Every structure is written in C-alpha cells, then in structure tokens.
C-alpha cells in the first residue's frame, strides 16, 4: 500500500486561500483524470468541501508523488504553487488512513462531530468510481472510512460535541440564544438548491420559520426543493421557488438569508444588502467602524512641586506625542524618593518631600532593591493607573441576518460593516468554533479511529501477500499433478481406487507441509513492516512474478464484479 494524500483545509490555510483554491465540479473531474494520467499515481480521488480540498492517490514513489499531486492541485485551483505550498499538508500510508478516518468521524471538521462529511466522502467515492479512477485501495479505503464514521456516531456521543455547519451557523446568528425561539415566525430566503442549501432550508423549516423562499439558477431544482419542504412531514412549511433575478426583491422581505451556491463571484454585494436594509427600515444602512479618538486637552503649564504635588517638569514633556503624566515614560530616570512621590500623586495621595528626605538610607536601599527586582522581573516599572474604559458604540439590532456557507464566499465581506445586519460566514464560523468545548466522547472516537487504522493496515498487508500464497499453492498443485502423471506412466497396472488413494495421500502431504508456513506468513505480513515476507516467499520458492501478478489482477476483477453499483 502506498496511499498518499496532499491537501489543505481550514486548519492549515486561511479562508482567503481556501476561497481562491475552491474547485468547481468540472475542475474536480479534470483533477482526478490528470492525476491518474500522471506517472506516479495509479488511483485517485478528490475530497472537496467548503473548508477542505484533498487529493488521494495510490503512488509508487513518495517524493515524486508529493511533487506531482502538489503541482496538480496548484494548476487546477488557480493558486500558484509557491503561494499554495506553505498551506499544504501531506500524509502517507497509515497516516493517510488515519487522516481520512478522522475526517469521516468529524474530528477534523470545523464543527467537531458534524455528520455531513460522510455524505461528502460518499460523493467523492462515487465520482472516482464513475471516472474509473478508484481501484482496490481507494475503494476499500473510502468504504471503510464511511463505516468508521457511522460506527463513531452510533457507538459514541460525538454528535453532542458538535452539529452540522448549518446548525452551528444558525446558532451564531441567534447570538447564543435558542435557535427555535429566534427563528420562529421569521421569513427565510435560501439561495442555492444543492446539498448544503437543502440542509439549511430543512433546518430552518424544523426551527419554525414562517416561510422559506428558494432561489436557484436552475428554476426546476428550486421548485423541487420547495415542494419537498412543503410536503415533508418534519419540514412542512410554506415554501415557494423564485428565479435568481427575483432575489433583490425577496431580500427586502426576508428576515434570514442563507446562501450556498457554486458561483465564482459574489451573489450578494454590500450595496444590494444595504439597499435591502434601507427598504426594510426606511433608513440607510450606515457603515460602522472603530470609535474616533478625541484629541487630548492640553495640560496647563506647571512645574515641579506645585500644589498638585506632581513631581514632574510638565513644561518640558507635555508636548511629547502620546505622553501621559500617569504613564511609564513619565517616571524614567527618577530617583527613589521622586518615584514614591509620583506613585502617591497618581493614587491621589500626597507625600511631603521633606518627609521623604528624612527617610533613612536603609529605607531608600530597601525601596531601590524592590524597584530593581520589579524591573528585572517584568522588564519595566509598572504603571500605577488603572486602564481607561474603551468606548464602544452600540450597533443597532439586526434587521437582516445572513449566513454564507459558500466557498468561495457568496456574500461580500464588507457587509460585516453595515449597521442593522448580522453576517456569519465561513471565516467567522472558523473563529467561533476554535474555542468550542470538546466533548469527552471525542477521546472514544479517537480510540475507535486508532483501532480501525490498525485493522485496515493489517488487512491491506495480509491482502498484499495473498496472491503470493495462492501462487505458491498453485505451483504445489501443478507439481502434484505432474508427479501423479509420471506415476501413472510407471505403474499402469494400478486400478482407479489405488490411483485415487495415492493422489489423496500426496495432496494431504503437500497441504500439511504448506499449511503452517502459509498461515504464519499471513500473520507476520499483517504486522507493521511485514511487507517483506511476500518477497521472501517468492524468492524461497522461485515463484514467477507474472503468475503472482496474474492472481492479483484476477482478484481485482472479482472485487469489481462483486462491488455494488
């Protein structure tokens, strides 16, 4: 087994890079075809979701495979290889298996534990099978990954650790409140009719929205989704389909908008959203930004030892940019007594300089030692004042909620700055999910993944030696048949019963001689590092490599015939 995966995801690359690297359906097909046409790869499959792009291949050379797959990803994503390379990760053999199984269980998802990835892995395998780019290795791998993912969800509570990206996005729109309470009675506009948009529409319907409007470039698909929503037992809701040119008008009437299309450009611009908000509220959707800082009022000239007890020559320093009589710059170079006076002044206290002057040398030495220790520990003399509160301009309550689940984005990121709008997109979901608590069940899933990886590797290594064992037994059967034929020529007087007894005796001897070594070699081959036992067996018994290869090809043909369509 020489399984290799090269890819990038929300864990390795910023959303801006993932957006540019996103692959259309046609680009995915071409990428798989070009990969199997390349020299190092014999099988290939691509797993492309809104937050990951991964290319899986069975390669005969590791370094050549990494170089070829990285180059192909760069070519088909449109991102230059030099720019893409720092964000790529590489997994090989058992590590590649571990990675896919973890992905299938939702451990590597933006929202840990989400189950939507299983459908995406299934689609990836279906595409590879349709293109005839998935051989025995990738078929076995992806089908086992689906089984592992289902096992993780059925045997653990990983679902409690997270939910689908749609549900998580709606929770962010609800700002931590109950989604059903937030969604009840609202009107929703869903742009797109693919799997993610369909899931979003169904989730909104179950949450209790009053109406779902579906817009799609292919009007028939929008109609079909609207019909499903209307007639479904769990999703019974008033639903209707519209064409894409009706979106601006629907945007004015909608409370919640979810967009997930395959468009390469923006579907909703900041201008269109601002116009919709103005149509709803009657007021322009002004942009919000950081609070302006008012210029500081100049301090009146003063001198050391004024009635304010500030021990600084303010006339010399108050014109300096960013200077504060309470700050660290003000105390640089002070003697111990002046430092104490300054600290007391900051705390609105007073210290008589004459009283400070009467301090004993021992007290001064103690103060200087304490200050030196503080400076050595923190690298500076600490500032004594409390930080001033930062003024925050409250944003108006949102009149329009937008959820962008597309990659690349459907909704202009500038919408984040519009007042009266709350936008949640892939980038903000990534930030929100980074601090999400991990459920205890995640550890159980990790153990399941480790066990399944070990079992899959053992099965693959055992399968690798099977053609050699079959070829050995075939050779032994040929030797027996040849010797029985010679015996027939030398002892022509034997009757059929005698010949049968001799034939069975010889077969039993050969089977008993081969049984223990072939069983043991399968066990040894299944262990890590056991790939060399097949080579040793071929060398010891002088087996024809072409015979072994023919047995292997015959096994692959049987697997394809037995595989469900």
């Amino acid at each position: 087994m020489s399984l290799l995966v090269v890819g990038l995801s929300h864990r390795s690359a910023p959303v801006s890079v993932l957006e540019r690297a996103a692959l259309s359906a046609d680009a995915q097909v071409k990428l798989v075809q070009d990969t199997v046409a390349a020299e190092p790869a014999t099988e290939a499959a691509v797993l492309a979701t809104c937050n990951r792009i991964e290319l899986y291949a069975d390669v005969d050379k590791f370094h050549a495979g990494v170089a070829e797959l990285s180059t192909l990803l760069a070519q088909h994503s449109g991102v230059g290889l030099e720019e893409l390379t720092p964000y790529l990760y590489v997994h090989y053999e058992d590590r590649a298996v571990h990675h896919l199984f973890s992905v299938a269980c939702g451990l590597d998802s933006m929202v840990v534990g989400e189950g939507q990835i299983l459908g995406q892995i299934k689609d990836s395998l279906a595409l590879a099978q349709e293109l005839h780019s998935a051989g025995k290795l990738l078929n076995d791998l992806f089908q086992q990954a689906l089984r592992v993912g289902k096992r993780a969800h059925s045997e653990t509570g990983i679902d409690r650790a997270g939910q689908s990206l749609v549900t998580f996005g709606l929770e962010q729109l609800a700002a931590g409140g109950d989604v059903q309470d937030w969604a009840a009675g609202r009107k929703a506009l869903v742009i797109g009719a693919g799997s993610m948009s369909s899931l979003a529409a169904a989730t909104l319907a179950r949450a209790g929205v009053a109406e779902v409007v579906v817009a799609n470039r292919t009007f028939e698909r929008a109609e079909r989704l609207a019909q499903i929503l209307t007639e479904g037992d769990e999703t019974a809701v008033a639903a209707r389909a519209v064409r894409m040119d009706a979106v601006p008008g629907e945007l004015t009437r909608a409370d919640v908008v979810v967009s997930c299309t395959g468009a390469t450009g923006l579907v909703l611009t900041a201008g269109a959203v601002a116009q919709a908000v103005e149509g709803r509220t009657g007021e322009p959707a002004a942009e919000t930004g950081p609070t302006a800082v008012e210029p500081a009022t100049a301090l009146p000239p003063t001198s050391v030892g004024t009635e304010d007890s500030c021990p600084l020559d303010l006339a010399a320093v108050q014109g300096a940019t960013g200077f504060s009589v309470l700050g660290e710059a003000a105390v640089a170079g002070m003697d111990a007594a002046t430092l104490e006076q300054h600290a007391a002044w900051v705390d609105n206290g007073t210290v008589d300089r004459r009283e400070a002057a009467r301090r004993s040398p021992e007290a001064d030495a103690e103060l200087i030692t304490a200050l030196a220790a503080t400076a050595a520990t923190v690298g500076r003399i600490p500032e004594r004042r409390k930080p001033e509160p930062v003024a925050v301009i409250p944003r108006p309550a949102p009149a329009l909620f937008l959820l962008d689940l597309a990659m690349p984005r459907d909704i202009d990121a500038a919408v984040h700055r519009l007042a009266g709008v709350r936008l949640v997109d892939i980038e903000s979901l990534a930030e929100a999910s980074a601090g999400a608590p991990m459920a205890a069940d995640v550890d159980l899933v990790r153990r399941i993944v480790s066990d399944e990886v070990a079992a899959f590797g053992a099965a693959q290594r055992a399968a690798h030696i099977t053609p050699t064992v079959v070829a050995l037994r075939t050779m032994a059967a040929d030797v027996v048949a040849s010797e029985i034929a010679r015996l027939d020529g030398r002892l022509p007087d034997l009757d059929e019963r005698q010949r049968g007894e001799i034939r069975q005796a010889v077969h039993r001897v050969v089977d008993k001689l081969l049984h223990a070594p072939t069983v043991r070699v399968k066990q040894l081959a299944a262990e890590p590092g056991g790939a060399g036992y097949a080579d040793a067996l071929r060398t010891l018994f002088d087996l024809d490599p072409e015979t072994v290869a023919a047995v292997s090809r015959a096994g692959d043909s049987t697997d394809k015939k037995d595989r469900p369509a």
Side-chain angles (χ1 to χ4, degrees):
M1 178 181 65
S2 299
L3 177 66
L4 175 66
V5 55
V6 177
L8 67 160
S9 73
H10 64 99
R11 294 187 183 276
S12 68
V15 173
S16 58
V17 175
L18 287 172
E19 280 186 319
R20 293 170 53 209
L23 298 172
S24 65
D26 291 340
Q28 292 178 40
V29 171
K30 193 70 170 63
L31 174 59
V32 171
Q33 291 173 334
D34 288 353
T35 302
V36 292
E39 183 180 344
T42 56
E43 302 180 32
V46 62
L47 177 58
T49 73
C50 61
N51 51 40
R52 79 176 62 249
I53 304 165
E54 295 176 347
L55 184 56
Y56 291 79
D58 183 7
V59 298
D60 56 6
K61 298 175 184 175
F62 172 73
H63 294 290
V66 171
E68 187 65 32
L69 267 59
S70 302
T71 301
L72 288 169
L73 273 175
Q75 288 176 353
H76 290 276
S77 68
V79 180
L81 182 59
E82 288 188 3
E83 183 181 359
L84 190 65
T85 298
Y87 305 112
L88 294 177
Y89 47 78
V90 175
H91 299 294
Y92 190 54
E93 294 190 335
D94 283 354
R95 292 302 307 168
V97 176
H98 189 281
H99 176 72
L100 182 59
F101 287 3
S102 297
V103 169
C105 293
L107 292 178
D108 198 57
S109 296
M110 186 179 293
V111 181
V112 174
E114 61 95 5
Q116 190 178 359
I117 187 65
L118 287 174
Q120 294 162 334
I121 292 174
K122 186 176 180 181
D123 292 342
S124 175
L125 175 59
L127 176 63
Q129 290 175 340
E130 181 184 341
L131 297 174
H132 304 289
S133 65
K136 179 173 174 54
L137 175 58
L138 290 187
N139 269 291
D140 289 350
L141 174 69
F142 275 69
Q143 288 174 0
Q144 187 62 24
L146 292 171
R147 286 190 285 268
V148 173
K150 291 175 183 176
R151 179 189 169 194
H153 284 278
S154 64
E155 294 184 12
T156 73
I158 187 67
D159 293 335
R160 294 194 296 269
Q163 61 277 85
S164 74
L165 204 59
V166 172
T167 307
F168 189 62
L170 293 178
E171 286 184 354
Q172 297 304 304
L173 286 181
D178 184 78
V179 172
Q180 291 191 335
D181 292 342
W182 166 81
R186 295 186 186 272
K187 295 180 180 179
L189 170 62
V190 176
I191 305 176
S195 58
M196 185 75 83
S197 299
S198 300
L199 177 61
T203 304
L204 285 166
R206 285 192 292 269
V209 295
E211 180 188 37
V212 176
V213 178
V214 182
N216 193 58
R217 284 184 173 81
T218 307
F219 183 66
E220 291 73 17
R221 293 190 65 184
E223 281 187 315
R224 188 159 58 250
L225 177 55
Q227 182 180 2
I228 292 171
L229 293 172
T230 304
E231 298 175 355
D233 294 334
E234 296 182 2
T235 61
V237 66
R240 56 188 174 88
V242 298
R243 301 184 187 278
M244 287 297 291
D245 56 10
V247 166
E250 296 296 338
L251 199 60
T252 305
R253 290 185 284 274
D255 302 302
V256 184
V257 179
V258 179
S259 186
C260 186
T261 73
T264 54
L266 292 175
V267 175
L268 295 178
T269 63
V273 174
Q275 188 175 357
V277 173
E278 185 175 355
R280 292 175 61 89
T281 63
E283 298 180 1
E287 288 195 8
T288 60
T291 306
V293 178
E294 295 184 5
T297 305
L299 293 170
T302 184
S303 60
V304 177
T306 64
E307 64 276 12
D308 289 331
S309 301
C310 179
L312 299 175
D313 184 1
L314 298 181
V317 296
Q318 67 182 205
T321 303
F323 176 79
S324 166
V325 295
L326 301 175
E328 296 168 20
V331 299
M334 285 186 184
D335 59 82
T338 307
L339 277 172
E340 186 181 83
Q341 178 105 2
H342 178 265
W345 176 80
V346 170
D347 287 336
N348 294 321
T350 56
V351 175
D352 191 336
R353 273 183 161 298
R354 291 170 300 176
E355 191 176 310
R358 289 195 296 270
R359 295 173 61 90
S360 66
E362 292 79 6
D364 278 346
E366 183 180 346
L367 177 61
I368 292 171
T369 301
L371 287 171
T374 301
T377 302
V378 299
R380 59 186 176 85
I381 302 295
E383 192 170 323
R384 295 295 300 273
R385 64 170 177 169
K386 295 179 180 179
E388 297 177 3
V390 178
V392 178
I393 298 179
R395 291 173 64 102
L400 182 61
F401 298 85
L402 300 142
L403 177 57
D404 185 359
L405 298 173
M407 184 65 71
R409 69 176 72 242
D410 279 348
I411 303 174
D412 192 346
V415 172
H416 279 294
R417 298 196 297 270
L418 294 179
V421 179
R422 179 176 296 157
L423 169 62
V424 172
D425 52 21
I426 293 294
E427 192 165 10
S428 53
L429 283 174
E431 293 173 0
S433 64
M438 302 286 282
D441 295 280
V442 169
D443 289 335
L444 295 177
V445 175
R446 286 178 176 147
R447 284 198 287 272
I448 288 175
V449 168
S450 297
D451 292 344
E452 291 285 356
V453 169
F456 184 82
Q460 290 293 312
R461 288 186 289 270
H464 177 68
I465 202 171
T466 297
T468 304
V469 172
V470 172
L472 174 59
R473 289 190 171 275
T474 301
M475 184 191 75
D478 291 343
V479 170
V480 169
S482 174
E483 291 302 317
I484 292 295
R486 283 184 58 198
L487 186 63
D488 287 344
R490 295 176 61 182
L491 300 173
D493 297 332
L494 294 175
D495 57 32
E496 277 305 314
R497 185 184 64 79
Q498 293 171 326
R499 293 178 191 281
E501 288 290 340
I502 293 172
R503 191 179 296 111
Q504 286 184 2
V506 174
H507 276 293
R508 282 196 297 270
V509 169
V510 171
D511 287 342
K512 287 182 178 180
L513 286 173
L514 291 180
H515 176 74
T518 52
V519 169
R520 184 61 181 144
V521 80
K522 285 182 179 180
Q523 293 171 343
L524 292 171
E527 296 175 0
Y533 286 100
D535 295 333
L537 207 59
R538 284 192 294 270
T539 302
L540 286 171
F541 290 92
D542 195 23
L543 298 176
D544 182 11
E546 183 55 37
T547 302
V548 176
V551 173
S552 182
R553 287 193 296 269
D556 289 346
S557 300
T558 303
D559 286 342
K560 288 180 181 178
K561 216 176 287 183
D562 295 339
R563 192 174 298 138

